[in-house]
């Protein structure tokens, strides 16, 4: 049972435009969500997180939105840059009980120059 | 600041041979430690996690095992590798079980 789903395996965006990466979850007990990006043959890099008590968190070009009623979160990258091309993973945790994150399967973002 | 090391960076091993991958963390104490595998074209699969020395939890039954002989050392092992063990192995640490920070990874190819 996939509790965290990234239904788009890939996304292409023009440089300078907005990239929107989506993630859905099924476990209503999840209360903390994170986004990572990963380049080939490297470890994932933490980007941004959001607690379930918020619906938006912003850090520079990255903004994460959380819609608890829809069990949906998204990562917005504005403006997109070629260096943003990577695989993006969303992850979630029920911080009250679980000891580990549950990751989605990832979305390959390609930013075209 | 905290850093996490993994070695080797790449490894090519024959089927049936043993495996030992090492992960160490610097600059923190009593971290939560994790081993993940990323198979080609797939997401991150949690293999093991540890909340303290000698405490290992396994997420997926397989021919791999993990050990934590010291507070900041996490080892992934196998007695006999299978072809299906090929993949990219990632170690991660967390101060609070929520935000995890990953090492550079080990590319394992089993022939």
């Amino acid at each position: 049972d996939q509790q965290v789903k990234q239904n788009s395996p890939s996304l292409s965006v023009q440089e300078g435009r907005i990239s929107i990466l989506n993630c859905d979850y099924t476990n209503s007990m999840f209360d903390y969500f994170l986004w990572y990006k990963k380049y080939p043959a490297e470890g994932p890099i933490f980007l941004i997180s959001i607690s379930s008590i918020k619906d938006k968190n912003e850090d520079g070009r990255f903004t994460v939105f959380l819609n608890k009623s829809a069990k949906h979160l998204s990562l917005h990258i504005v403006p997109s840059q070629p260096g943003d091309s990577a695989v993006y993973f969303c992850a979630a945790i029920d911080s009250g009980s679980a000891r580990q994150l549950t990751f989605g399967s990832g979305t390959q973002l390609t930013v075209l120059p | 600041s905290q850093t996490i090391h993994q070695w080797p960076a790449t490894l090519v091993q024959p089927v049936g041979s043993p495996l030992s991958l090492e992960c160490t963390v610097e600059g923190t104490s009593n971290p939560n430690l994790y081993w993940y595998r990323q198979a080609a074209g797939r997401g991150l699969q949690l293999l093991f996690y540890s909340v303290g020395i000698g405490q290992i939890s396994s997420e997926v039954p397989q021919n791999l095992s993990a050990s934590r002989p010291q507070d900041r050392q996490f080892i992934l092992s196998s007695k006999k590798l299978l072809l299906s063990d090929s993949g990219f192995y990632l170690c991660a640490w967390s101060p609070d079980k929520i935000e995890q920070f990953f090492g550079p990874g080990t590319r394992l190819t089993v022939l």
Side-chain angles (χ1 to χ4, degrees):
Chain A
D1 175 34
Q2 257 189 309
Q3 296 189 62
V4 178
K5 297 180 183 179
Q6 293 177 258
N7 292 317
S8 298
S10 63
L11 173 69
S12 292
V13 172
Q14 208 68 35
E15 181 179 4
R17 299 288 185 97
I18 183 171
S19 294
I20 300 177
L21 297 142
N22 294 304
C23 181
D24 297 294
Y25 61 96
T26 57
N27 187 342
S28 58
M29 298 301 292
F30 286 148
D31 59 352
Y32 207 82
F33 305 87
L34 304 88
W35 283 95
Y36 289 81
K37 73 174 179 181
K38 184 182 181 299
Y39 297 114
E42 294 184 14
I45 301 165
F46 171 73
L47 282 176
I48 192 168
S49 62
I50 188 167
S51 164
S52 61
I53 63 174
K54 295 185 176 181
D55 54 20
K56 177 183 175 181
N57 189 25
E58 192 172 354
D59 183 0
R61 295 186 299 113
F62 301 94
T63 303
V64 56
F65 295 91
L66 175 63
N67 182 334
K68 289 187 290 294
S69 60
K71 294 191 178 68
H72 177 83
L73 67 153
S74 60
L75 175 67
H76 293 210
I77 307 173
V78 182
S80 300
Q81 300 172 353
D84 295 329
S85 296
V87 177
Y88 288 77
F89 292 98
C90 68
I93 188 169
D94 169 6
S95 63
S97 63
R99 295 188 178 274
Q100 64 279 346
L101 295 171
T102 300
F103 281 87
S105 55
T107 296
Q108 170 70 56
L109 173 66
T110 302
V111 180
L112 304 168
Chain B
S1 64
Q2 300 85 9
T3 55
I4 179 168
H5 304 278
Q6 284 185 246
W7 63 88
T10 60
L11 189 60
V12 180
Q13 293 282 95
V15 168
S17 63
L19 173 73
S20 181
L21 303 181
E22 189 165 343
C23 171
T24 59
V25 182
E26 295 177 357
T28 187
S29 59
N30 197 31
N32 294 315
L33 296 173
Y34 307 83
W35 277 112
Y36 288 87
R37 176 171 59 204
Q38 183 184 22
R42 301 183 68 179
L44 299 173
Q45 179 187 34
L46 178 65
L47 301 175
F48 300 95
Y49 69 91
S50 171
V51 299
I53 296 174
Q55 300 179 61
I56 309 295
S57 296
S58 174
E59 290 296 302
V60 182
Q62 57 207 318
N63 69 320
L64 299 172
S65 62
S67 62
R68 186 170 177 174
Q70 300 180 44
D71 181 46
R72 289 169 291 173
Q73 184 184 32
F74 205 22
I75 297 173
L76 183 69
S77 304
S78 174
K79 292 182 180 178
K80 286 186 178 181
L81 283 168
L82 306 172
L83 285 174
S84 58
D85 291 325
S86 293
F88 192 58
Y89 288 82
L90 290 155
C91 181
W93 77 275
S94 175
D96 55 12
K97 83 179 178 183
I98 296 179
E99 292 184 6
Q100 293 184 18
F101 302 94
F102 287 81
T106 296
R107 169 71 59 193
L108 171 66
T109 302
V110 183
L111 301 175

